[in-house]
Amino acid sequence: MSKLPKEHKFIDLSDYGRPIARCIANSLKETTYTPIHVTIGFIISGLIAIFCILFGYFWAAAFFLIFKSILDAADGELARLKNTPSYTGRYLDSVADIILNLLIFIALWYITEANFIFCIVAFLGIQLQGTLYNYYYVILRNNVKGDTTSRVFEYESPVAMKGEKQKNVNFLFLLYRVCYGVFDKIIYTLDANAITGKRFPNLLMTAVSTFGLGFQLLIISLMLIMGYKDYIISFFIWYSIMILVFISIRKIL
């Protein structure tokens, strides 16, 4: 099942793992496994990848980073197949992503000669990149009656859906706001009118999808196995310039 109606789909470069994710979700549909179990699986995969980066097993790190990306898609697919969307899963997924991202960049700093300040700047850069992608994608999904589990503006804790506890939603929403609040405000400030503008062209959404976490992890994986580990941090710092480029294009269009 897609987050977008068929007529509004675009080529999402960060979503390359979706076909395998659907296979995983379909295989779990009639089992007792829940989307939360799959989310825990991608957390474990991410932690294994970090361990492999630290000890120089770069091919293994690449595998587990990409597998993490696939499982990251599979939890949502399973939620839609079982018709059990939840804010608990939505916020747990996001909080786990940002923590793993930070640990990945700390691991990259540890195995290279990069300045720790640059490591943090790169981490902040990928978070802003991902926030812009998610901002545009959620606006699109809401405007064309796609999946609405994610909201454009995350200001208040939502009412728990069937099958989840409100206290869990409130706690995870608080963690989400702590982790993402600043990034959301920066992107909203840079392009506050995006929500009232025209529907984003598919080509723009495809370009912005390079900011998606799946594509970011793919780039890290490729650079690790190609022997370019020393350039990963600087790459993401410089690529953050494209945030302003994409916003400018969106405003012109």
Side-chain angles (χ1 to χ4, degrees), residues 110-219:
Y110 183 81
I111 65 170
T112 64
E113 297 180 358
N115 186 294
F116 186 70
I117 298 299
F118 291 163
C119 165
I120 298 302
V121 171
F123 164 72
L124 296 176
I126 68 162
Q127 292 307 133
L128 283 173
Q129 292 171 29
T131 300
L132 179 66
Y133 167 67
N134 289 328
Y135 180 46
Y136 284 178
Y137 196 11
V138 173
I139 289 174
L140 177 61
R141 279 152 50 187
N142 279 266
N143 287 346
V144 300
K145 298 181 180 180
D147 178 82
T148 56
T149 305
S150 297
R151 301 176 296 171
V152 178
F153 300 107
E154 299 280 5
Y155 292 142
E156 297 180 354
S157 180
V159 177
M161 294 184 179
K162 182 180 179 180
E164 60 180 346
K165 296 180 179 179
Q166 187 65 52
K167 65 177 182 179
N168 293 341
V169 174
N170 293 343
F171 175 69
L172 287 168
F173 174 78
L174 178 61
L175 285 181
Y176 174 88
R177 288 289 293 162
V178 169
C179 291
Y180 288 94
V182 172
F183 301 110
D184 287 345
K185 287 181 179 178
I186 291 173
I187 295 300
Y188 295 160
T189 300
L190 290 173
D191 197 2
N193 296 325
I195 192 170
T196 58
K198 296 180 180 179
R199 190 176 76 83
F200 310 131
N202 286 352
L203 187 58
L204 175 62
M205 287 304 301
T206 294
V208 177
S209 72
T210 60
F211 282 172
L213 182 55
F215 197 77
Q216 292 171 336
L217 294 180
L218 179 61
I219 291 174

Side-chain angles (χ1 to χ4, degrees), residues 5-21:
K6 185 176 181 179
E7 64 271 21
H8 296 291
K9 289 182 180 179
F10 61 93
I11 299 174
D12 188 343
L13 299 177
S14 73
D15 204 27
Y16 53 84
R18 184 69 55 178
I20 300 176

Side-chain angles (χ1 to χ4, degrees), residues 17 27 34 38 42 44 59 62 67 86 93 107 134 149-150 220 232 240 253:
S27 69
T34 68
V38 181
F42 90 59
I44 293 172
W59 279 93
F67 187 53
S86 72
D93 186 299
N134 289 328
T149 305
S150 297
I220 292 172
I232 296 174
S240 295
L253 296 176

